[in-house]
Amino acid sequence: MHNLGHTRSSNKRDHLLLTPDTFVRTPLPGLTGGLAIVHVAPQAGAAFTQMTVELDAGGELTEGPTQRLLYVLEGELTLKEPSSKKLHRLTAGGYAYLPTEHPHTLTAKKASRVAVIEKPFLPLEGERNPEFVIGREQDLPSTALNGDKDLQVRALLPASLAFDFACNTMTYAPGAALSQVEIHYMEHGLLMLEGGGIYRLGDSWYPTTAGDFIWMGPYCPQWFGAIGKKPAKYLIYKDFNRHTLA
Ligand code: UGY
Ligand code: MN
């Protein structure tokens, strides 16, 4: 359905909204039995890459050019990496942080979709480089953002300056909203996981729903309010813990 050229997707200087009808699938080195949807990359002005990798049963993804975070959206996979002799099993909500030069193979046991975030690592003097992390989002403690119990945040990565980015889930009860319009130097990659609402980006207000991807560039004015009868939940990346001139 071509929809006469209409889409909710929008590409602006300081933000990008990509809706599933505009996703384009491509092969990637290290990816067999699957395709990648590259949502944002340095080519668009971002300092990181975020994609969704779609794997058929038996499909594999091996290490990329730099550190990465894997977050399983759907399916069942195993992860082989050197810190354990056993394979790690990952299902929806399962995630892993893989440091730079940490060889690994992710294998799909059934058709699966995985969010992949990659960022060239910025070491910090006097700090050890971050180590492999594995977990399940549903097992993490959640905290109320600015004391609002209707807006719960779960941090996938440990609170340590060793990490040069953060990745969180944010869950909004129906009607909950960010308490302020945020404008900050950090950029964001956001994947809407459940529900929806209205995202303000720059001077535009967008209806946004599960499956959408958003990039917010540095200083992009941003605000979200959840609309509907079920919670809205998103996965959000931001560069973190480093001086702006580092
Ligand atoms: O962490 C953040 O900056 C987050 N509150 N931003 C957002 O949800 N757009
Ligand atoms: Mn923000």
Side-chain angles (χ1 to χ4, degrees):
M1 177 57 180
H2 54 64
N3 227 2
L4 294 171
H6 178 73
T7 179
R8 284 188 296 115
S9 286
S10 177
N11 182 5
K12 299 271 172 67
R13 186 198 62 78
D14 63 352
H15 66 268
L16 188 60
L17 166 66
L18 293 172
T19 61
D21 54 302
T22 53
F23 291 173
V24 172
R25 289 158 175 82
T26 58
L28 269 190
L31 175 60
T32 51
L35 291 169
I37 304 155
V38 181
H39 299 301
V40 77
Q43 285 79 353
F48 69 104
T49 290
Q50 181 160 349
M51 48 197 166
T52 297
V53 169
E54 297 176 332
L55 294 156
D56 303 327
E60 283 192 349
L61 177 70
T62 58
E63 63 274 13
T66 186
Q67 62 174 349
R68 62 161 56 136
L69 185 113
L70 307 173
Y71 181 94
V72 179
L73 301 167
E74 186 184 341
E76 184 181 350
L77 309 101
T78 58
L79 178 67
K80 186 172 181 285
E81 55 77 42
S83 74
S84 165
K85 287 202 180 82
K86 285 196 285 184
L87 295 178
H88 308 278
R89 179 173 172 270
L90 292 169
T91 54
Y95 68 93
Y97 164 76
L98 296 137
T100 310
E101 289 176 17
H102 192 88
H104 56 273
T105 305
L106 184 69
T107 308
K109 291 187 84 174
K110 51 177 152 174
S112 301
R113 291 188 309 117
V114 184
V116 180
I117 296 167
E118 296 177 339
K119 173 191 184 295
F121 178 61
L122 270 179
L124 187 62
E125 220 182 294
E127 189 70 51
R128 283 170 54 167
N129 287 348
E131 288 176 5
F132 173 69
V133 176
I134 188 140
R136 288 190 342 138
E137 188 266 348
Q138 45 276 60
D139 296 340
L140 296 169
S142 94
T143 53
L145 186 69
N146 301 326
D148 180 355
K149 65 172 180 20
D150 289 334
L151 209 181
Q152 295 288 330
V153 182
R154 285 183 168 135
L156 271 50
L157 296 177
S160 157
L161 285 177
F163 293 89
D164 68 347
F165 71 93
C167 192
N168 304 327
T169 59
M170 294 181 62
T171 306
Y172 296 71
L178 281 177
S179 62
Q180 65 173 105
V181 176
E182 293 179 6
I183 304 183
H184 50 63
Y185 75 89
M186 302 85 87
E187 54 180 340
H188 285 307
L190 181 157
L191 197 57
M192 192 64 68
L193 300 174
E194 293 168 26
I198 298 291
Y199 231 106
R200 177 188 171 168
L201 301 167
D203 292 333
S204 305
W205 277 253
Y206 298 96
T208 310
T209 189
D212 292 350
F213 174 82
I214 293 171
W215 168 67
M216 294 166 239
Y219 296 101
C220 175
Q222 55 199 260
W223 175 88
F224 179 70
I227 296 182
K229 295 199 171 178
K230 50 181 186 165
K233 179 174 180 179
Y234 54 73
L235 179 74
I236 183 164
Y237 157 94
K238 69 176 163 189
D239 48 306
F240 209 45
N241 289 334
R242 293 295 180 269
H243 285 289
T244 52
L245 300 177

